[in-house]
């Protein structure tokens, strides 16, 4: 997917029950931007990412998407977005190979690569035919990242991507982003872990409402 994506936030706020977790956010995400969304726990980073992904609707304000300058209808945003986050569930009854094949049956894989390439890139090849429920938390995080990063989507959203990864996993993550982020819009939410967002050129600071 070679389309360029732009996202416009206009006074976006989100309230859960009686608590505002985001208030009056206005900014623009331009094509090929690399943006870090930073802030303490409870500042609304994950909520903002879920709003971009279309998982959560804002309570107030407006978010608009444009693909190659053409407005994208809300129900079609998912085609342009790929998300990895600690709270996303995997189908743990599947083996790694089954889950990779299932995922890329719905999302095109990037750069004409194959599902076997994705398994190879994950570094989890020895466990390709093991059920995901038997994976460690670090292995599951690698799997979430490989599915997101290698999906052919112009907007890549990463929520605390180094969660549960060891030093080797951190180096792997850096290489994956180096290999697959060129020309894409990438938004990383982080609790100030520089290793997660060091490649980002812009930063958006959130504070508790």
């Amino acid at each position: 997917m070679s389309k360029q994506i732009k996202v416009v936030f206009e006074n976006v706020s989100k309230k859960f029950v009686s608590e505002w977790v985001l208030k009056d956010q206005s900014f623009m995400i331009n094509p090929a931007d690399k943006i870090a969304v930073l802030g303490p726990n409870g500042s609304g980073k994950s909520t903002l990412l879920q709003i971009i992904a279309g998982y959560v609707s804002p309570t107030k304000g407006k978010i608009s998407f444009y693909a190659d300058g053409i407005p994208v209808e809300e129900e079609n945003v998912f085609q342009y977005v790929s998300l990895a986050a600690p709270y996303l569930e995997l189908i743990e009854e599947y083996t790694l190979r089954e889950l990779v094949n299932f995922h890329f049956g719905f999302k095109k894989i990037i750069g004409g690569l194959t599902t076997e390439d994705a398994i190879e890139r994950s570094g989890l090849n020895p466990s390709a035919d093991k059920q995901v429920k038997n994976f460690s938390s670090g292995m599951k995080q690698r799997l979430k990242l490989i599915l997101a990063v290698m999906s052919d989507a112009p907007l890549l959203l990463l929520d605390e991507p180094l969660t549960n990864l060891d030093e080797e996993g951190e180096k792997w993550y850096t290489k994956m982003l180096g290999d697959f982020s060129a020309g894409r819009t990438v938004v990383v939410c982080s609790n100030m872990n520089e290793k997660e967002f060091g490649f980002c050129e812009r930063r958006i600071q959130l504070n508790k409402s």
Side-chain angles (χ1 to χ4, degrees):
M1 180 179 289
S2 59
K3 292 184 181 293
Q4 295 289 297
I5 197 81
K6 181 171 79 170
V7 186
V8 180
F9 271 67
E10 299 176 75
N11 298 311
V12 169
S13 300
K14 181 63 183 179
K15 180 167 71 171
F16 291 109
V17 191
S18 59
E19 182 181 358
W20 291 97
V21 292
L22 276 179
K23 292 195 79 173
D24 300 323
Q25 293 298 317
S26 295
F27 57 87
M28 187 179 300
I29 301 172
N30 292 304
D33 266 354
K34 307 294 187 286
I35 297 177
V37 179
L38 308 176
N41 290 334
S43 59
K45 300 186 304 296
S46 293
T47 299
L48 185 145
L49 214 63
Q50 290 177 59
I51 289 173
I52 297 174
Y55 291 9
V56 171
S57 297
T59 305
K60 291 168 54 180
K62 181 182 178 182
I63 179 171
S64 304
F65 292 82
Y66 302 87
D68 289 345
I70 299 172
V72 177
E73 296 296 330
E74 184 178 349
E75 61 269 22
N76 295 324
V77 167
F78 74 94
Q79 298 177 31
Y80 303 93
V81 176
S82 184
L83 170 66
Y87 43 80
L88 290 184
E89 297 292 333
L90 297 168
I91 305 174
E92 299 203 344
E93 290 70 31
Y94 280 7
T95 66
L96 182 150
R97 178 171 278 110
E98 288 170 339
L99 185 52
V100 168
N101 285 327
F102 176 79
H103 177 86
F104 289 115
F106 290 92
K107 287 268 192 185
K108 183 180 176 183
I109 196 166
I110 199 166
L113 298 174
T114 67
T115 54
E116 289 302 312
D117 291 326
I119 293 170
E120 178 75 25
R121 285 276 190 165
S122 74
L124 301 172
N125 341 24
S127 302
D129 295 307
K130 292 181 181 178
Q131 285 183 298
V132 174
K133 68 181 180 182
N134 296 317
F135 283 14
S136 68
S137 57
M139 293 168 72
K140 289 177 183 177
Q141 181 65 7
R142 278 198 183 220
L143 181 51
K144 291 175 184 179
L145 287 168
I146 208 78
L147 295 178
V149 174
M150 292 190 70
S151 291
D152 189 10
L155 179 54
L156 177 60
L157 307 175
L158 304 173
D159 196 347
E160 298 187 10
L162 293 184
T163 299
N164 297 319
L165 293 186
D166 57 16
E167 186 175 350
E168 180 185 346
E170 292 173 356
K171 292 177 181 176
W172 170 84
Y173 163 79
T174 300
K175 178 168 173 48
M176 285 293 297
L177 267 291
D179 290 345
F180 294 110
S181 66
R184 302 171 81 181
T185 305
V186 184
V187 182
V188 182
C189 286
S190 177
N191 283 335
M192 302 303 293
N193 184 345
E194 185 78 29
K195 293 179 181 178
E196 291 182 320
F197 62 87
F199 65 94
C200 293
E201 298 139 359
R202 285 178 56 198
R203 300 182 182 188
I204 294 172
Q205 181 69 44
L206 297 181
N207 298 303
K208 290 185 180 182
S209 299

